[in-house]
Amino acid sequence: MTKPDILQMGPYPDWDQVPLEQSFQMHRYFEADDKAAFLAEVGQKIRGIATRGELGANAQTIAACPNLEVISVYGVGFDAVDLGACRERGIRVTNTPDVLTNDVADLGVAMMLVQSRGMIGAETWVKDGSWAAKGLYPLKRRVWGRRAGVLGLGRIGFEVAKRLAGFDMEIAYSDVSAKDFAKDWKFIADPVALAERSDFLFVTLAASAATRHIVGAKVIEALGPEGMLINISRASNIDEEALLEALETGKLGSAALDVFEGEPNLNPRFLSLPNVLLQPHHASGTIETRKAMGKLVRDNLTAHFAGEALLTPVL
């Protein structure tokens, strides 16, 4: 039986690559030196695309594959996939929600704790001899009992808030509407108002054209010189220029970030800031979750080509 031809946008671990190649004819776009020539060569054969959230599939790539039927995204974010082009041609799109939710929430809360308590600097204080030479590490700020805001109470935002409740924090959230499952938490529709009453603001909403730079100068300034911004969503949700300016001038106290515009080549201004914790977009980066994500990518492709219902459809 002929294997369906799949365009692979980026590398996967061997535990995903091997079973993918067993079930499909994989065409490694990311290894091609001349990508336009590669697409011209294989595009007619391609029936599916296997991609990652940050890589997506743009209109040009989709147009180069006239027989494309399905795009399977490794990740919860699908904003890098041209959904308009997919709708026009009836191309199905899937992602990998749920399986990464708890790990992303874990890292977000961990980032808050690490940054608030100065744990990276404290470790350096021990290792470089400062503890012995200079005495106790400078005092930092507590987490428990303070005010947390969650911008976007979807799957990940909900799990973040559940964890924050364990620290006896005062929790509020913003979303398109109040949620019945969040009766113990305060709903604040306006992100600026949410930031103004928060010591910690978690950005956990899905990225779209409507949410681009939703965390702009007004939200950042409302969070203020004692506030902390934690982003475990997508970089486009934050105006990085406004964020950098606020961090550099003290208008914002601190930030903990797992995502960046142009990553991994982030703005070098971030690298010299003492009040920002930087992470390499690895909120879902556990062995257990990455294996589950890869399996869901394969299972969605398998279901499509078997004529079965998609497990986690976006389109």
Side-chain angles (χ1 to χ4, degrees), residues 293-314:
M293 289 167 63
K295 184 177 185 299
L296 192 47
V297 166
R298 299 193 305 274
D299 288 349
N300 273 307
L301 289 171
T302 298
H304 173 80
F305 291 112
E308 299 171 358
L310 298 174
L311 284 75
T312 51
V314 172

Side-chain angles (χ1 to χ4, degrees), residues 240-299:
E240 280 196 356
E241 283 299 315
L243 174 60
L244 282 162
E245 193 273 337
L247 289 167
E248 289 167 344
T249 60
K251 293 178 182 176
L252 177 66
S254 61
L257 310 169
D258 188 47
V259 288
F260 306 88
E261 295 281 6
E263 60 185 45
N265 301 310
L266 65 159
N267 192 316
R269 289 162 65 190
F270 281 116
L271 304 179
S272 59
L273 287 169
N275 54 346
V276 62
L277 173 68
L278 309 175
Q279 296 291 288
H281 197 160
H282 75 141
S284 66
T286 68
I287 291 170
E288 296 89 347
T289 283
R290 291 294 172 83
K291 285 185 174 181
M293 289 167 63
K295 184 177 185 299
L296 192 47
V297 166
R298 299 193 305 274
D299 288 349

Side-chain angles (χ1 to χ4, degrees), residues 63 202 211 303:
F202 287 81
T211 66

Side-chain angles (χ1 to χ4, degrees), residues 15-238:
W15 59 60
D16 293 324
Q17 192 67 44
V18 171
L20 277 169
E21 291 179 354
Q22 289 172 345
S23 300
F24 307 101
Q25 185 63 48
M26 304 300 294
H27 300 273
R28 301 191 187 198
Y29 174 83
F30 62 98
E31 291 182 346
D33 293 327
D34 187 337
K35 290 180 168 49
F38 183 77
L39 281 176
E41 177 186 348
V42 306
Q44 289 283 342
K45 298 187 291 186
I46 297 301
R47 297 177 62 196
I49 290 178
T51 188
R52 301 201 310 253
E54 76 277 16
L55 300 176
N58 61 27
Q60 183 179 3
T61 301
I62 292 168
C65 304
N67 296 304
L68 181 63
E69 302 169 22
V70 62
I71 298 173
S72 189
V73 179
Y74 179 94
V76 68
F78 48 83
D79 50 297
V81 176
D82 192 319
L83 296 182
C86 293
R87 287 190 185 96
E88 286 181 10
R89 289 176 44 192
I91 297 166
R92 304 301 306 274
V93 179
T94 68
N95 65 342
T96 59
D98 298 322
V99 294
L100 52 69
T101 298
N102 286 291
D103 278 341
V104 174
D106 282 353
L107 188 76
V109 174
M111 289 165 67
M112 173 189 68
L113 290 166
V114 167
Q115 182 71 328
S116 189
R117 296 300 301 271
M119 292 171 68
I120 303 298
E123 183 188 41
T124 301
W125 190 262
V126 175
K127 288 184 174 180
D128 70 6
S130 293
W131 189 15
K134 302 176 183 179
L136 297 176
Y137 188 61
L139 298 178
K140 299 300 176 182
R141 296 299 300 271
R142 71 168 48 156
V143 167
W144 69 269
R146 298 180 72 196
R147 300 170 302 168
V150 180
L151 181 54
L153 202 71
R155 295 179 180 92
I156 293 171
F158 179 66
E159 289 299 330
V160 166
K162 280 172 55 181
R163 285 155 173 75
L164 299 179
F167 292 96
D168 294 325
M169 301 183 84
E170 296 179 31
I171 300 167
Y173 69 95
S174 285
D175 210 302
V176 293
S177 62
K179 304 299 180 185
D180 291 339
F181 55 80
K183 295 185 185 302
D184 292 336
W185 307 326
K186 185 176 183 180
F187 172 66
I188 302 176
D190 179 18
V192 176
L194 178 70
E196 193 170 30
R197 57 78 58 203
S198 298
D199 299 307
F200 304 94
L201 181 63
F202 287 81
V203 185
T204 55
L205 75 176
S208 67
T211 66
R212 178 170 175 79
H213 291 183
I214 190 171
V215 179
K218 290 182 179 179
V219 170
I220 293 167
E221 289 180 16
L223 189 53
E226 297 296 323
M228 182 190 300
L229 180 69
I230 302 107
N231 189 14
I232 47 173
S233 62
R234 304 293 280 188
S236 63
N237 288 328
I238 293 180

